[in-house]
Amino acid sequence: MNTEFLKTTKKKSDDIVFKIIVPLLGLVVVILNPLSLFAISVLVAALLYRIVFHKTFFSKLFIFFLTTIYAFIMLIYSVSPKIQYVEFQKTHPNWVEVQGDSLHVEVDWQGGRTRKSVADITYQYRTHGKTVKKLENNVLKNNTYSVFWNSESEKKESNLELKNRIQTYIQQKNFKILKNQDAEESKLFIPLDNILLSSSFGVEFFIMISKVMLVPFFFILIFYFFSGKNLK
């Protein structure tokens, strides 16, 4: 009786997780990110799935395959500012490039789980004969990836490193400003490098997971080390 009850309970919990919670989380991820990436993922996954497996698309295997392809494309997207700029430009044809100047950088330290330096940039551009000043928050960041804490000197060093890096981008004109022709909104893209790991949410996620796994592993090693010494 108890065994049957446990099986029924497990089935209900699995149904809730895999048929409700997981699909809802997946939907949120798709909505919060560019839809063009999901569309590309579907096309690539469908093509490769047909070539490799020769099976129907209406199966759990295809869902897992699509999820893997989507995660890989999202990772590539996250590490490439150039791809992010091109994707935005192609999917927003009504946005045009404008000439900007007077970029002013403010860098602050953010604590919490991901301790990092974050940069806000104020810039201005001219449109229709007038100068418009805008503030772009959290444009770039410098993750320290510290396992435990950061000293005041490390925080200052991280802030200075990020500020100097952005100043170099500005001096090299390694940025673009796009403006919506139908509204008073604009977007700053800096830098336009092919690869930038320091601001990638994908890299940050993997390192965060590694840190979570590393801390208990470290304590387990200490425990076994002292346990072995006591046994001797």
Side-chain angles (χ1 to χ4, degrees):
M1 187 69 179
N2 289 335
T3 304
E4 188 65 30
F5 175 75
L6 289 174
K7 287 182 179 179
T8 304
T9 304
K10 184 179 182 303
K11 185 179 186 306
K12 288 182 178 179
S13 62
D14 288 346
D15 288 342
I16 292 173
V17 171
F18 293 106
K19 293 184 178 180
I20 299 177
I21 296 178
V22 172
L24 284 177
L25 289 176
L27 182 61
V28 170
V29 171
V30 171
I31 292 175
L32 293 179
N33 289 285
L35 293 177
S36 60
L37 300 181
F38 182 70
I40 293 173
S41 301
V42 171
L43 292 175
V44 172
L47 180 62
L48 292 179
Y49 184 83
R50 197 65 177 173
I51 293 174
V52 175
F53 297 104
H54 304 287
K55 293 183 178 180
T56 177
F57 297 125
F58 301 101
S59 65
K60 289 183 179 179
L61 179 60
F62 177 70
I63 299 299
F64 291 137
F65 192 72
L66 172 60
T67 302
T68 303
I69 296 294
Y70 183 58
F72 178 74
I73 289 178
M74 286 291 295
L75 178 62
I76 298 298
Y77 175 82
S78 74
V79 301
S80 177
K82 185 70 173 180
I83 292 177
Q84 294 169 26
Y85 171 73
V86 172
E87 187 278 334
F88 187 90
Q89 191 181 40
K90 297 300 183 183
T91 56
H92 296 75
N94 208 39
W95 289 60
V96 296
E97 182 182 346
V98 293
Q99 295 299 318
D101 55 24
S102 300
L103 276 74
H104 178 71
V105 184
E106 290 288 343
V107 178
D108 291 312
W109 177 262
Q110 285 188 358
R113 288 178 304 165
T114 54
R115 293 171 286 280
K116 59 194 172 187
S117 300
V118 178
D120 300 333
I121 301 180
T122 303
Y123 63 95
Q124 66 182 37
Y125 60 89
R126 291 190 60 81
T127 178
H128 303 302
K130 65 177 181 179
T131 301
V132 179
K133 182 176 287 187
K134 291 284 186 178
L135 171 64
E136 195 90 19
N137 293 311
N138 299 333
V139 181
L140 285 171
K141 56 190 176 183
N142 187 39
N143 292 294
T144 60
Y145 301 125
S146 173
V147 177
F148 296 108
W149 61 80
N150 296 95
S151 65
E152 290 301 319
S153 61
E154 288 175 328
K155 294 176 184 178
K156 291 179 181 178
E157 183 180 347
S158 176
N159 289 349
L160 182 61
E161 179 186 341
L162 178 59
K163 190 166 187 175
N164 289 340
R165 183 151 50 90
I166 296 176
Q167 293 291 358
T168 301
Y169 295 149
I170 295 172
Q171 292 172 4
Q172 296 174 347
K173 302 293 183 182
N174 188 10
F175 65 89
K176 295 283 187 184
I177 299 173
L178 296 181
K179 181 191 175 300
N180 189 346
Q181 297 183 86
D182 297 329
E184 289 299 325
E185 57 180 345
S186 59
K187 189 173 179 61
L188 172 67
F189 292 87
I190 183 170
L192 298 177
D193 294 352
N194 290 322
I195 295 178
L196 182 66
L197 299 179
S198 62
S199 288
S200 167
F201 65 83
V203 173
E204 183 178 342
F205 175 77
F206 282 125
I207 293 180
M208 182 181 69
I209 295 298
S210 300
K211 285 165 59 177
V212 170
M213 297 174 63
L214 179 64
V215 173
F217 179 71
F218 177 72
F219 284 111
I220 290 172
L221 284 179
I222 294 177
F223 173 77
Y224 276 107
F225 175 76
F226 284 105
S227 297
K229 290 188 69 175
N230 291 334
L231 289 174
K232 292 179 182 179

